[in-house]
Amino acid sequence: MASKLRFVCNVCGYESGKWYGRCPSCSNWNTFAQFKVEDKKRTSYAHSDEVAISLEKAYHIKTSSNSRVSTGFEEFDRVLGGGVVLGSVILLSGDPGIGKSTILLQLALNVSNMASRKVLYITGEESSDQVKMRIERLINVKDLEKRNLFIISATNIDQVLEVLSKEKPTLVIIDSVQTMESKEFPGFPGSIPQIRNATSSFVSFAKKNQIPVFLVGHVTKEGIVAGPMLLSHMVDAVLYLEGEKLSETRILRAFKNRFGDATEVGIFIMKEKGLLEIKDASSYFMDKKNEKVPGSCIAVVMEGTRPMMVEVQALVVPSGLSFPRRVVNGISEKRVELLLAVIQKHVKIPVDRADVFVNVVGGMKILENASDLAVCLAVVSSFKNKPLGSTAAVSEIGLLGELRNVSNLEKRMSEARKFGFKNVLTFKDFKFLNEVIPFIPI
Ligand code: TYD
Ligand code: MG
């Protein structure tokens, strides 16, 4: 078989037929390493079983509606757009220790609960007995016997692919893509050329065999760009499991999804026996008892297509500091600073002389501005030391103190009504923030 030399940059993965002293892509010096490729082998996955291409009228192309496998988690399925598409490659990323291995093991246990379904979990990070110990936390051993789950502890990707091609499982989990290494490729495991090679090999395997593959990708020290994001164009979906380490809430978010809506989220909590899905998110992120406490207001935010009630808490206390403190959790700090300036100017409350703490309950992160009004009302309520009662608020706030339109108002209102909120303050009823203040019980 003919082989030829190729060169790859160890930093950015740029590949070329000739050697460069300085990488033309990332401009780093002396980063090129040489490797040999056998012409046929390199292309064997992508182009084997070549079929002549032909035109096909869009109307006549057949789609199969059964081409998804359920993960056994409603929350996970929704994020994927209704389950795992056969032959798709899904990258699951997130901080170390956040629960990636745990959630995928649970998924593996769910999927492998039928004799006709075989799941292969390839672990390059932990030994098989470590994985077994984790499984024992998640499920009792009697139930495990019925699961068709197989663990392989390996890092050699060429060996792994050989086993996968022979076994043809229903689902494959690779934990993690950073530990997979090909001896035919330069660079240490986790280096960009190795990660790229591993990903493209798994993509070819998945497409050729119509077997879905999950890849775990850690966020590296340099940030997400250096690791998993580099691969996002190669895979079908990029999911991110996020949450504060100290809180038990975990949010599964899609950043890219070729087979569904990339704005959907799944909500879980990390318990002793693994991750538990939260289907009724509103009651989890809101505590009705706090209605009687100053500084609490309910926002109705959209997470994907779902409205969700979230409690925003504020604590405003006189400050002795020349630069009063602003401590914000679960919402952009810059956004809160802007809202404080609006309160100062348009509601004439001297928050510039107060320390302000703002927190979103339950470790939830609010990413949209529809919660602006709730944040302002929570701050005003704490400042005045008067509770708001059963009040929910939905509106963006502009620099002029004006209440601005937000999307999906009807969906948000009906969620609020479902939870017994009669008093929902919105941009429909008020033009400016200072007009809202007389209507709240302070
Ligand atoms: P893990 O899945 O190993 O994280 P990752 O693969 O993203 O690095 O999660 C590890 C954390 O989860 C660890 O701090 C222990 C905790 N955990 C639980 O709280 N309950 C459980 O049932 C399991 C298995 C782990
Ligand atoms: Mg792990």
Side-chain angles (χ1 to χ4, degrees), residues 213-224:
V213 177
F214 275 94
L215 302 175
V216 172
H218 291 296
V219 178
T220 55
K221 262 205 270 14
E222 299 79 38
I224 194 162

Side-chain angles (χ1 to χ4, degrees), residues 101 125 175 218:
S101 304
E125 308 230 320
D175 190 359
H218 291 296

Side-chain angles (χ1 to χ4, degrees), residues 345-387:
K345 175 110 179 160
H346 298 288
V347 191
K348 312 234 170 346
I349 287 179
V351 279
D352 60 335
R353 277 176 265 139
D355 290 334
V356 179
F357 305 84
V358 175
N359 185 35
V360 180
V361 170
M364 182 76 196
K365 276 200 172 68
I366 300 183
L367 300 174
E368 52 165 15
N369 296 340
S371 62
D372 285 357
L373 184 56
V375 173
C376 289
L377 297 184
V379 168
V380 173
S381 159
S382 177
F383 183 88
K384 302 264 187 191
N385 209 23
K386 295 264 175 61

Side-chain angles (χ1 to χ4, degrees), residues 208-268:
K208 187 177 160 199
N209 298 288
Q210 283 299 293
I211 294 173
V213 177
F214 275 94
L215 302 175
V216 172
H218 291 296
V219 178
T220 55
K221 262 205 270 14
E222 299 79 38
I224 194 162
V225 182
M229 274 305 156
L230 188 89
L231 312 175
S232 60
H233 66 281
M234 298 164 90
V235 298
D236 299 304
V238 180
L239 309 184
Y240 199 82
L241 188 63
E242 59 185 30
E244 307 283 327
K245 276 266 176 64
L246 296 179
S247 111
E248 56 183 19
T249 311
R250 299 287 181 271
I251 313 272
L252 184 69
R253 237 176 248 287
F255 274 95
K256 162 184 171 172
N257 189 0
R258 283 191 186 141
F259 305 112
D261 185 346
T263 59
E264 286 295 355
V265 300
I267 300 168
F268 298 85

